[in-house]
């Protein structure tokens, strides 16, 4: 069973807002065994809507449309749906009553414009919107389903959860779809692919592997699909065990909740250790990652963004002579930064970064993309030099991931 999602709105196409609705709908459909065939964003225009509906119904069993429902004249979706299904709009008294009650609770005037929201195509099944005034609309010709929902995220989600998803599960015999994500750091997609090529070639026919790379991080997603959930889950579990034997040294966790910052936080908590950071080229990104984990205050004591030589010397405490001798982008300075913050905040571990994220080199001899990462532990301090290339965003994220990866390895030694 497959679906297509159509989002309507000029605000999406001009980049004013992100299409978060489609992402959420796709995730929820996938949970009940519906595969999303395609996601389409179109203008708030009758001709584009009609064209998208024709193509979507040809390609998919289920079409979910969001946007273009409301009291204003530019909300034309239901009028276009009436045209598409050769239907007419009729006033639904139950919806009128619902809107009147909502407005009465907040002492808001009920106007003719609001009443028009109760106009729906005669052949549709209206879906009550508990969080707004525009109803959802369910069309079923016996073979395929078309659902129209408001574009307001809270209203769309409410209708999906209360009406659409339960109705789809009752209407179709759906397969089970099971996902398992393995999160790795430290090796690129091509290197990992070569290491696991034989394992990948021998996956069961109902399990597929997807490579999901990002800066310094690679997620391997296994997806199983079939009629027996237990069989799929057992098979995926067995394949994960085989994969772990092949690349255990770079696996940091499973599923998207177990990020590198989550794993590091757990290790620090278990060992009752503390951490601080001092960042130059990463601009506080490492601290942001660490503090994104709930409970980080139990082990993370603080951070300094030492973005200029003045902050490095007068706030952090790095020697001016050391910077003059080696420049701010150097191994000795990175190590001095890590040691200084470790002592200043009295922590067990410290991370320091200094480098050239770009686009300029800040009058140093090191090229753009060069980063020194230092780790101070209870027994030593060391640093490593990396070249992360361009652009700036890539350098910052890869350096941040690598710093946490290095820290993780050091914590595991204890």
């Amino acid at each position: 069973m497959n679906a297509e999602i159509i989002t309507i709105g000029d605000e999406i196409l001009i980049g004013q807002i992100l299409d978060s609705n489609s992402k959420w709908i796709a995730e929820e459909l996938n949970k009940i065994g519906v595969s999303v065939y395609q996601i389409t964003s179109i203008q708030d225009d009758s001709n584009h809507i009609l064209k998208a509906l024709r193509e979507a119904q040809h390609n998919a069993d289920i079409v979910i449309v969001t946007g273009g429902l409301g009291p204003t004249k530019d909300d034309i979706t239901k009028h276009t749906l009436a045209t598409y299904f050769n239907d007419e709009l009729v006033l639904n008294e139950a919806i009128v009553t619902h809107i009147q009650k909502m407005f009465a609770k907040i002492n808001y005037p009920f106007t003719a414009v609001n009443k028009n929201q109760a106009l729906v195509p005669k052949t549709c099944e209206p879906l009550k919107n508990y969080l707004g005034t525009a109803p959802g609309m369910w069309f079923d010709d016996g073979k395929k389903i078309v659902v129209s929902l408001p574009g307001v995220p809270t209203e769309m989600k409410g209708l999906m959860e209360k009406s659409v998803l339960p109705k789809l599960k009752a209407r179709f015999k759906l397969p089970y779809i099971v996902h398992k994500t393995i999160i790795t750091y430290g090796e690129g997609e091509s290197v990992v692919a070569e290491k696991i090529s034989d394992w990948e070639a021998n996956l069961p026919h109902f399990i597929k592997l997807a490579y999901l790379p990002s800066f310094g991080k690679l997620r391997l997603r296994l997806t199983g699909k079939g009629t027996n959930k237990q069989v799929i889950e057992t098979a995926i579990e067995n394949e994960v065990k085989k994969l772990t034997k092949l690349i255990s040294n770079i696996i940091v966790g499973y599923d998207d909740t177990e990020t590198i910052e989550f794993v590091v936080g757990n290790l620090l908590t278990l060992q009752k250790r503390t951490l601080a950071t001092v960042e130059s080229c990463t601009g506080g990104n490492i601290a942001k990652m660490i503090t994104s984990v709930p409970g980080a205050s139990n082990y993370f004591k603080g951070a300094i963004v030492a973005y200029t030589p003045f902050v490095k010397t007068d706030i952090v405490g790095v020697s001016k002579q050391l910077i003059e001798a080696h420049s701010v982008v150097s191994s000795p300075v990175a190590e001095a930064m890590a040691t200084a913050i470790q002592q200043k905040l009295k922590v067990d571990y410290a991370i320091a970064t200094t480098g050239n994220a770009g686009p300029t080199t800040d009058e140093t001899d090191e090229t753009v993309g060069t980063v020194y990462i230092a780790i101070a532990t209870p027994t030593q301090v060391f640093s490593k030099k990396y070249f992360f290339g361009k652009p700036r965003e890539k350098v910052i994220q890869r350096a941040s991931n690598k710093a946490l990866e290095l820290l993780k390895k050091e914590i595991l030694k204890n």
Side-chain angles (χ1 to χ4, degrees):
M1 196 63 56
N2 56 44
E4 179 163 341
I5 302 168
I6 300 173
T7 54
I8 300 170
D10 295 343
E11 63 274 18
I12 296 172
L13 298 176
I14 64 173
Q16 191 172 29
I17 65 169
L18 294 175
D19 180 18
S20 58
N21 280 0
S22 291
K23 177 182 182 297
W24 188 88
I25 293 171
E27 288 173 345
E28 296 306 307
L29 290 175
N30 195 265
K31 289 176 185 177
I32 66 168
V34 176
S35 300
V36 174
Y37 170 86
Q38 184 168 293
I39 296 174
T40 305
S41 294
I42 58 173
Q43 291 180 343
D44 206 344
D45 170 85
S46 292
N47 291 330
H48 286 91
I49 296 172
L50 289 170
K51 181 175 180 290
L53 283 169
R54 285 193 293 268
E55 292 176 355
Q57 268 209 299
H58 175 75
N59 295 329
D61 306 296
I62 301 162
V63 181
I64 308 287
V65 182
T66 68
L69 297 178
T72 56
K73 290 182 179 180
D74 67 335
D75 293 318
I76 60 172
T77 300
K78 66 182 176 183
H79 298 276
T80 308
L81 283 166
T83 300
Y84 182 75
F85 287 107
N86 195 25
D87 203 348
E88 62 178 325
L89 296 177
V90 295
L91 194 69
N92 186 292
E93 292 298 337
I95 299 172
V96 172
T97 302
H98 168 65
I99 299 172
Q100 286 175 329
K101 287 181 178 178
M102 286 190 70
F103 282 16
K105 286 182 180 179
I106 58 174
N107 195 28
Y108 196 85
F110 180 75
T111 67
V113 171
N114 302 121
K115 188 175 182 179
N116 285 340
Q117 288 198 275
L119 288 169
V120 294
K122 185 189 294 185
T123 57
C124 85
E125 178 186 342
L127 305 176
K128 187 174 181 180
N129 184 352
Y130 293 89
L131 300 173
T133 55
M137 293 173 282
W138 174 283
F139 298 86
D140 186 349
D141 64 3
K143 294 181 180 179
K144 298 191 176 185
I145 303 294
V146 175
V147 182
S148 179
L149 302 171
V152 179
T154 53
E155 296 181 27
M156 175 276 294
K157 291 178 182 179
L159 281 159
M160 282 289 292
E161 290 170 342
K162 286 183 176 293
S163 299
V164 179
L165 295 172
K167 286 173 72 66
L168 288 175
K169 287 190 282 187
R171 174 69 170 75
F172 298 105
K173 183 175 176 59
L174 298 170
Y176 292 100
I177 300 177
V178 179
H179 297 290
K180 185 68 175 180
T181 303
I182 299 91
I183 303 173
T184 74
Y185 285 83
E187 291 185 355
E189 181 181 1
S190 59
V191 174
V192 174
E194 186 174 351
K195 286 184 177 181
I196 66 174
S197 60
D198 290 341
W199 167 83
E200 182 180 357
N202 288 288
L203 284 171
H205 68 89
F206 56 88
I207 296 178
K208 305 298 180 186
L209 174 66
Y211 292 84
L212 307 170
S214 57
F215 299 143
K217 170 182 171 182
L218 174 65
R219 291 178 298 154
L220 302 170
R221 188 187 64 219
L222 288 170
T223 300
K225 186 175 181 180
T227 56
N228 190 314
K229 187 178 181 181
Q230 184 60 52
V231 169
I232 301 169
E233 289 179 339
T234 300
I236 286 181
E237 184 179 339
N238 290 335
E239 294 305 323
V240 170
K241 288 178 181 177
K242 295 176 188 176
L243 179 62
T244 302
K245 291 179 180 179
L246 296 173
I247 55 171
S248 60
N249 62 311
I250 61 170
I251 294 176
V252 299
Y254 302 90
D255 300 318
D256 287 334
T257 55
E258 296 186 29
T259 57
I260 187 70
E261 54 268 32
F262 178 87
V263 172
V264 165
N266 270 355
L267 290 171
L268 289 168
T269 300
L270 287 171
Q271 295 189 17
K272 297 182 180 180
R273 299 285 194 169
T274 53
L275 170 67
T277 61
V278 54
E279 302 178 57
S280 182
C281 60
T282 49
N285 192 60
I286 299 171
K288 177 185 175 183
M289 291 171 68
I290 293 166
T291 55
S292 70
V293 179
S297 60
N298 292 324
Y299 50 84
F300 187 63
K301 298 308 175 185
I304 294 177
V305 178
Y307 218 58
T308 64
F310 169 79
V311 177
K312 290 180 178 70
T313 57
D314 289 46
I315 305 300
V316 179
V318 177
S319 161
K320 290 181 181 180
Q321 290 76 21
L322 190 71
I323 291 177
E324 290 171 359
H326 300 281
S327 89
V328 289
V329 181
S330 64
S331 179
V333 169
E335 292 177 12
M337 289 167 65
T339 301
I341 197 70
Q342 182 187 39
Q343 295 172 351
K344 196 175 286 287
L345 296 189
K346 298 179 173 60
V347 293
D348 300 299
Y349 293 94
I351 296 172
T353 61
T354 182
N356 290 322
T360 63
T361 59
D362 295 331
E363 298 181 358
T364 68
D365 294 331
E366 298 286 4
T367 59
V368 169
T370 300
V371 177
Y372 288 88
I373 300 172
I375 306 292
T377 77
T379 59
Q380 64 167 332
V381 61
F382 69 91
S383 61
K384 291 193 175 184
K385 179 181 179 180
Y386 296 94
F387 179 72
F388 294 126
K390 297 178 183 180
R392 179 182 180 82
E393 294 78 10
K394 176 183 177 182
V395 175
I396 292 171
Q397 194 57 56
R398 288 191 67 186
S400 301
N401 288 337
K402 180 58 70 173
L404 290 170
E405 180 191 331
L406 290 174
L407 176 62
K408 170 180 170 275
K409 290 178 180 177
E410 291 305 308
I411 298 170
L412 287 173
K413 291 178 180 178
N414 297 318

